[in-house]
Amino acid sequence: MPDNTAFDETDLINRIKLRDQSALSELYQRFGGLVYGLAMRVLQNTGFAEEVTQDIFLKIWDQPDSWDSTRGKLLNWLMTVTRYTAIDRLRKEQRRPSWSAVDIEDVLNMSSKHGLLDEQDTMLLRTLIQQLPPNQTEAIELAFFGGMSHSEIAAQLNLPLGTVKTRLRLGLEKLKAMWLEAIGQPNE
Amino acid sequence: MDTNDSRLNSINSVCDTLRELLPAYSIGATDEAETRLVESLLAECPEVAIELQDFMRLAGAIAYTTPLIAPPAALHDKLMTAVAQRQVSAPLLISPTPTPVLKTSVRWLTPTLARFTLAAAALLLIVNVVLIARLFNLSDERQQQETKINELSDQLTRQNQFFAALATGKASRINLESSTGEALASVIWTPASDSALLVSNNLPALASNRAYQLWFIRDNQPVSGGVFRVDEEGQGTFIFEIPAPLNEYDALGISDEPMTGSEAPSTNPVALGGA
């Protein structure tokens, strides 16, 4: 995880707005590994992942106002936009219809108001995911990183649609409950 | 009392459906019809909708579980080159005067310089044509997005009006059945609204390039009510505008049509119901 101490993201974006190329370079050096890592996880292809990573940073350069500091941390914005862009690219490459996911603006509104996860939080979540039954983890990963819908997962795994829906729902509900418990905000 | 109980049971059932779909919806795993269903039910079930925020936070957190991978070293240089090119090419877009190269008399230049000048002029011309084409594309995309936003806004207004009218409790239901009498879909409507809701329970799944089209039929003349799709289990919802109260029509029908719909039914009805 990048070190976020002494890092003024608003100042960095303001410098980008003033067309300071060194600010973009700094942003890339800080977060390029996370963006590229996520793009690689989704696309499983170095060429495509490089293109998506470059597109994300060029988007920041071309439209620095697209990140709104009142809606959360810059890295959360970058990760959400990276996932959406990478899944769009993946679906195009696989000639699948466009993604009917939650509107990205809604995601940014709801998921980004919280601080960044630190290394410990990330490790915790990885450990919690490992505690799920493997078939639930598989369904979550195909949906989250593969951008697949219920019916696409069912077709991919050759399983009844109802089975996939149940696995995904149970897995996410259990993961949410364990995660909220672990971070001290148990389900009501 | 019975009516109240029945409405409460109906709301609970709808909210249970939402609760079941919410986790998958939060990570983009719902099919298109399910996504539309969730979005239409969120306002109906606020106590379930509130759970969405935690699922969204979880989804945001899952993205961080991917390992950090150092991008290839050349990618940084490639990015910075692209940025530098953007800065250099930007003035071309706003240049208020024609480029002087085009005004230069070629015969006074040395042959090498003349060739270079002609090549540069041609290159600038090509760049400008490409940039103008890109501007037109951007303008088209913006127009398409605006149209989409207007469509969604209209749809939302129709939904809100319909649910508000439904709350008056004067709704009627029309069952649409196959030729063998199997119940495939229902239409809920009320004279208080110019929209109605179609709920499909059992329509057969369609090929990816096909859609269902709803028809209002009077005096054997079908009028289109719009196209919609269902998921692989035959479930889906569709809110549509009604040109007149549905009891003024002889029947409603559903046929299998191309994605963009047809002027008139091109296949036998999949489902029919008397209005």
Side-chain angles (χ1 to χ4, degrees), chain A residues 97-152:
Chain A
S98 59
W99 201 28
S100 65
V102 192
D103 187 272
I104 189 168
E105 289 302 318
D106 291 339
V107 175
L108 290 167
N109 275 332
M110 278 191 258
S111 63
S112 300
K113 292 197 174 75
H114 305 275
L116 296 179
L117 298 188
D118 59 21
E119 181 69 31
Q120 210 176 352
D121 290 336
T122 308
M123 285 300 295
L124 168 73
L125 195 53
R126 279 187 199 142
T127 309
L128 295 178
I129 290 173
Q130 284 167 5
Q131 288 177 28
L132 294 175
N135 57 22
Q136 292 176 9
T137 308
E138 182 185 42
I140 291 173
E141 293 200 340
L142 286 172
F144 192 86
F145 295 109
M148 289 188 184
S149 66
H150 281 139
S151 54
E152 288 170 333

Side-chain angles (χ1 to χ4, degrees), chain A residues 64-119:
Chain A
D65 284 326
S66 52
W67 170 66
D68 175 358
S69 62
T70 62
R71 291 201 306 179
K73 294 283 182 186
L74 177 59
L75 181 56
N76 286 344
W77 183 92
L78 279 172
M79 295 297 271
T80 303
V81 175
T82 300
R83 179 173 168 247
Y84 269 65
T85 308
I87 287 176
D88 275 346
R89 176 65 188 265
L90 182 69
R91 294 185 71 94
K92 256 184 210 156
E93 292 300 329
Q94 295 174 341
R95 298 183 194 287
R96 286 151 64 191
S98 59
W99 201 28
S100 65
V102 192
D103 187 272
I104 189 168
E105 289 302 318
D106 291 339
V107 175
L108 290 167
N109 275 332
M110 278 191 258
S111 63
S112 300
K113 292 197 174 75
H114 305 275
L116 296 179
L117 298 188
D118 59 21
E119 181 69 31

Side-chain angles (χ1 to χ4, degrees), chain B residues 203 206 210-215 226-228 252-258 262 264-272:
Chain B
L203 280 166
L206 289 165
R210 305 288 292 178
Y212 283 119
Q213 190 161 4
L214 177 69
W215 303 96
V227 292
F228 63 97
L252 299 184
I254 296 172
S255 64
D256 174 352
E257 304 291 340
S262 303
S266 62
T267 60
N268 289 329
V270 179
L272 272 175

Side-chain angles (χ1 to χ4, degrees), chain A residues 19 21 25 28 33 50 62 76 83 99-100 102 114 116 122 126 144-145 149-151 161 165 169 172 185, chain B residues 20 23-25 27-29 31 34-35 56-57 59 64-66 69 71-72 75-76 80 83 86-87 233:
Chain A
R19 311 284 80 184
Q21 293 182 20
S25 174
Y28 176 86
E50 282 180 39
D62 290 338
N76 286 344
R83 179 173 168 247
W99 201 28
S100 65
V102 192
H114 305 275
L116 296 179
T122 308
R126 279 187 199 142
F144 192 86
F145 295 109
S149 66
H150 281 139
S151 54
L161 187 59
K165 286 185 179 181
R169 177 172 57 80
L172 285 167
Q185 298 170 25
Chain B
E20 282 181 8
Y25 173 78
I27 60 167
D31 286 297
E34 292 172 331
T35 302
M56 289 291 202
R57 283 177 59 200
Y64 286 91
T65 61
T66 53
I69 303 174
L75 186 56
H76 175 262
M80 299 318 293
V83 167
R86 274 166 150 78
Q87 277 193 300
E233 290 184 330

Side-chain angles (χ1 to χ4, degrees), chain B residues 173-246:
Chain B
R173 179 188 179 121
I174 299 165
N175 292 322
L176 302 176
E177 298 174 346
S178 69
S179 56
T180 57
E182 188 187 2
L184 298 180
S186 305
V187 168
I188 317 288
W189 72 282
T190 161
S193 171
D194 58 5
S195 296
L197 171 71
L198 182 146
V199 182
S200 159
N201 302 316
N202 210 14
L203 280 166
L206 289 165
S208 60
N209 60 344
R210 305 288 292 178
Y212 283 119
Q213 190 161 4
L214 177 69
W215 303 96
F216 309 118
I217 305 162
R218 184 158 48 192
D219 299 331
N220 283 328
Q221 293 299 313
V223 175
S224 175
V227 292
F228 63 97
R229 285 183 56 82
V230 297
D231 67 16
E232 292 196 350
E233 290 184 330
Q235 294 179 347
T237 59
F238 171 49
I239 289 194
F240 56 96
E241 222 170 311
I242 51 177
L246 290 183

